[in-house]
Amino acid sequence: MVSISIGVAIAAYGEAKFDTWGVMLQLGAVAFEATRLVMIQILLTSKGITFNPITSLYYVAPCCLIFLFIPWIFVEYPLLKDTSSFHFDWLIFGTNSFCAFALNLAVFLLVGKTSALTMNVAGVVKDWLLIAFLLALKANEAQKKASQAADEEAGRLLEEREGENGAKKNESQG
């Protein structure tokens, strides 16, 4: 974890467009997610309270809806309303809702059977795998762009050299 933190600090320090507000939002998101996972663990493993993951979702989901709806109505909705291309698609909404439900159910099952720490470590591993997958996916594209840039540079240098050689021939003939 320390090596990851050092790497992130180096990347953030070298970033040309470092935004303090963005970093503060990210830190807040990490803190709230950790708090949420610990609260789920307390809810699922407390003595005297026997909640299964479905029952827990039954109580937690409405609270999440309220806490997410309030900022959405003031921040996101005006932007969507102003965009002329916005239209509500029931298929996309339904599939996204199903995926969110499945994800929350999986989180409740994992935290209930193990711990919040396991969920956080699994999140870090997921991030590593995502980065590795994207790197493998985009590596060929990056190599093509690099070789294209190298070919363009070589062509430009060759043209400059030919131009210099042509000027030298004209001077020696003249």
Side-chain angles (χ1 to χ4, degrees):
M1 295 300 264
V2 173
S3 63
I4 293 170
S5 300
I6 291 171
V8 169
I10 290 170
Y13 180 75
E15 178 63 32
K17 295 180 182 178
F18 181 77
D19 186 11
T20 306
W21 177 244
V23 171
M24 297 306 289
L25 287 175
Q26 284 290 349
L27 291 174
V30 168
F32 281 115
E33 178 67 13
T35 304
R36 182 182 79 90
L37 291 175
V38 169
M39 294 298 193
I40 289 172
Q41 183 176 357
I42 291 170
L43 181 69
L44 292 174
T45 59
S46 293
K47 302 281 188 240
I49 300 174
T50 55
F51 279 157
N52 63 23
I54 296 289
T55 307
S56 302
L57 273 175
Y58 179 76
Y59 288 108
V60 171
C63 296
C64 291
L65 174 69
I66 291 168
F67 280 101
L68 291 174
F69 183 75
I70 292 170
W72 179 80
I73 200 73
F74 294 112
V75 177
E76 297 290 333
Y77 183 69
L79 295 173
L80 289 174
K81 194 168 65 171
D82 292 341
T83 304
S84 62
S85 64
F86 172 69
H87 69 284
F88 190 82
D89 188 352
W90 285 100
L91 179 65
I92 294 197
F93 179 75
T95 53
N96 283 340
S97 298
F98 177 75
C99 288
F101 174 76
L103 177 66
N104 281 323
L105 185 61
V107 166
F108 275 87
L109 282 169
L110 181 67
V111 171
K113 298 293 182 190
T114 59
S115 70
L117 178 64
T118 304
M119 184 62 198
N120 279 335
V121 171
V124 170
V125 172
K126 176 204 56 127
D127 291 342
W128 288 349
L129 292 173
L130 181 64
I131 291 168
F133 175 72
L134 291 176
L135 182 64
L137 193 65
K138 295 291 184 176
N140 291 336
E141 185 178 324
Q143 287 174 350
K144 287 177 186 176
K145 286 183 180 180
S147 66
Q148 182 182 11
D151 289 344
E152 289 174 2
E153 181 68 19
R156 187 180 58 78
L157 291 173
L158 185 60
E159 287 176 4
E160 288 178 6
R161 184 178 290 165
E162 287 176 355
E164 291 173 2
N165 288 341
K168 288 179 183 178
K169 283 184 181 179
N170 288 340
E171 289 176 6
S172 63
Q173 289 177 357

